[in-house]
């Protein structure tokens, strides 16, 4: 009888074990993953064989380096605020030390449509003034020795912009953009810039390399400068000529097309670029310190010096882009 009682007790004990285990699992506190931080930081750097801005060389067709730092705040999955700081090496006629960019804005997303609204300030510190007709520092420096061009000490300016990109598929996206500045390169000339771009990204190879092709077309509608850049009269001593109040800058179209590939955080981009500006009007727009010759005469370039900063050009870029949440943590 005693043995029977022990056996029954053992059976009851064994049959109860799964229920007890189930109770333990049910009563245990679930592990809750921490909510992702709404803050992120994008940063990166690049080296390019020629720094082209809207088709025009900013580095005198020499290599240029770039770096940027962009804190971001994600309000929710469809709205992001951002503020950025970037720097580029340049070669400007006023001998500015670098281009430093401060920018910020708002990026909302509506389904497949990505929007971007913001402002951008281009700061060019360390410049010098060249213009023999302007008393003070400008006259002391004279005109640019090589070709007689003139340039302001401070070329800094700001723009506001609006952009839209539509992702038609996971592989193909196209976008449009508009920028406005009241004084392009601090020249006094207004600038209305229109842009269309498209990109097709191929499926990644088995080794993780993702190739793509892309291109863009832009049009810059430029106004008239202030009289710092007036054309000289026939005697070459005072403002006169066709535009005594300043230069009516030539509107122009630029384009580029190319291909590249991305691998992890790195991208290699190979591209061909060109503009509709001839050498004379390019010189009037840029004040290129290396412009030469006397035959590239236009209404806004009476001296005839010609610049090749706006011509067709092949350039290559290697860059790395990272975000704190995706690539560092």
């Amino acid at each position: 009888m005693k043995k029977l009682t022990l056996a029954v007790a053992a059976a009851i004990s064994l049959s109860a074990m799964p229920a007890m285990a189930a109770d333990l699992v049910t009563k245990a506190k679930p592990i809750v993953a921490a909510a992702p931080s709404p803050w992120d930081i994008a940063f990166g750097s690049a080296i390019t064989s020629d720094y082209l801005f809207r088709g025009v060389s900013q580095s005198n067709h020499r290599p240029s380096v770039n770096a940027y730092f962009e804190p971001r705040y994600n309000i929710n999955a469809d709205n992001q605020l951002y503020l950025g700081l970037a720097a580029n090496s340049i070669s400007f006629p006023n001998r500015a030390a670098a281009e430093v960019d401060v920018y910020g804005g708002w990026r909302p997303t509506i389904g497949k449509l990505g929007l971007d609204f913001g402002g951008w300030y281009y700061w060019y510190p360390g410049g010098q003034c060249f213009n023999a007709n302007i008393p003070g520092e400008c006259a002391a420096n004279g005109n640019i020795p090589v070709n007689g061009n003139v340039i302001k000490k401070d070329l800094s300016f700001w723009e506001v912009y609006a952009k839209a990109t539509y992702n038609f598929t996971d592989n193909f996206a196209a976008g449009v953009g508009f920028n406005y500045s009241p004084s392009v390169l601090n020249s006094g000339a207004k600038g209305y810039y229109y842009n269309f771009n498209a990109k097709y990204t191929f499926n990644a190879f088995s080794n993780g390399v993702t190739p793509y092709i892309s291109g863009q077309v832009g049009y810059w509608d430029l106004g008239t400068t202030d009289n710092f850049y007036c054309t000289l009269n026939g005697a070459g001593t005072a403002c006169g000529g066709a535009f005594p109040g300043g230069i009516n800058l030539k509107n122009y179209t630029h384009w580029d097309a190319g291909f590249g590939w991305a691998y992890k955080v790195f991208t290699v981009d190979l591209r061909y670029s060109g503009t509709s500006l001839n050498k004379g009007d390019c010189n009037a727009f840029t004040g290129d310190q290396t412009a030469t010759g006397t035959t590239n005469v236009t209404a806004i370039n009476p001296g005839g010096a010609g610049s090749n900063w706006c011509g067709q050009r092949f350039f290559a870029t290697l860059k790395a882009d990272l975000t704190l949440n995706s690539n560092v943590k």
Side-chain angles (χ1 to χ4, degrees):
M1 186 65 180
K2 186 176 181 181
K3 292 181 178 180
L4 178 60
T5 301
L6 291 173
V8 171
I12 292 173
S13 176
L14 289 172
S15 65
M17 287 178 67
M20 292 171 63
D23 285 345
L24 289 173
V25 171
T26 302
K27 292 178 182 178
K29 293 182 179 180
I31 299 174
V32 179
S37 171
W39 290 97
D40 199 0
I41 297 175
F43 57 98
S45 60
I47 182 169
T48 182
S49 60
D50 193 352
Y51 172 27
L52 299 181
F53 179 71
R54 297 174 188 170
V56 179
S57 179
Q58 310 291 284
S59 58
N60 190 21
H61 293 316
R62 295 173 181 171
S64 172
V65 293
N66 159 274
Y68 74 94
F69 174 80
E70 183 184 295
R72 299 169 174 176
Y73 181 78
N74 297 301
I75 302 172
N76 52 45
D78 298 319
N79 289 275
Q80 181 183 87
L81 302 176
Y82 63 94
L83 183 66
L85 178 67
N88 300 271
S89 61
I90 58 173
S91 178
F92 270 21
N94 71 341
R95 302 175 183 173
E99 176 188 311
V100 180
D101 303 327
V102 181
Y103 62 94
W106 169 45
R107 296 184 181 122
T109 301
I110 306 171
K112 294 184 176 182
L113 178 65
L115 302 172
D116 190 354
F117 306 98
W120 200 290
Y121 183 70
Y122 305 87
W123 179 41
Y124 303 101
Q128 299 179 40
C129 176
F130 291 89
N131 191 328
N133 293 315
I134 304 295
E137 177 191 352
C138 296
N141 291 333
N143 292 353
I144 295 176
V146 174
N147 48 38
N149 282 340
V150 300
I151 198 75
K152 287 184 176 181
K153 176 178 181 178
D154 183 12
L155 300 180
S156 306
F157 72 107
W158 59 267
E159 287 184 322
V160 291
Y161 57 84
K163 304 175 186 178
T165 301
Y166 192 82
N167 296 281
F168 291 90
T169 69
D170 291 340
N171 300 91
F172 178 68
V176 294
F178 172 75
N179 297 55
Y180 166 76
S181 174
S183 181
V184 174
L185 289 168
N186 195 31
S187 65
K190 294 181 179 180
Y192 304 86
Y193 177 69
Y194 309 88
N195 176 272
F196 171 79
N197 58 82
K199 181 178 182 179
Y200 186 87
T201 304
F202 297 91
N203 294 330
F205 297 145
S206 59
N207 60 3
V209 173
T210 305
Y212 65 87
I213 55 174
S214 64
Q216 66 170 328
V217 176
Y219 179 76
W220 212 351
D221 183 349
L222 297 165
T224 300
T225 70
D226 56 40
N227 61 13
F228 182 95
Y229 296 103
C230 68
T231 54
L232 299 179
N233 62 17
T237 57
C239 288
F243 303 104
I247 297 175
N248 187 5
L249 296 175
K250 188 76 172 180
N251 303 335
Y252 76 93
T253 301
H254 79 92
W255 57 269
D256 66 63
F259 69 95
W261 56 92
Y263 178 70
K264 296 184 178 180
V265 302
F266 300 101
T267 301
V268 176
D269 188 88
L270 307 175
R271 196 156 299 276
Y272 198 77
S273 171
T275 80
S276 62
L277 287 173
N278 60 39
K279 289 185 176 183
D281 291 334
C282 179
N283 181 57
F285 177 51
T286 63
D288 178 1
Q289 72 272 22
T290 67
T292 58
T294 57
T295 61
N296 298 284
V297 176
T298 70
I300 59 174
N301 192 58
S307 170
N308 65 0
W309 284 6
C310 310
Q312 296 185 15
R313 190 77 175 177
F314 168 83
F315 64 104
T317 304
L318 170 64
K319 62 179 181 175
D321 299 287
L322 303 90
T323 61
L324 185 64
N325 290 341
S326 299
N327 304 110
V328 178
K329 291 184 178 181

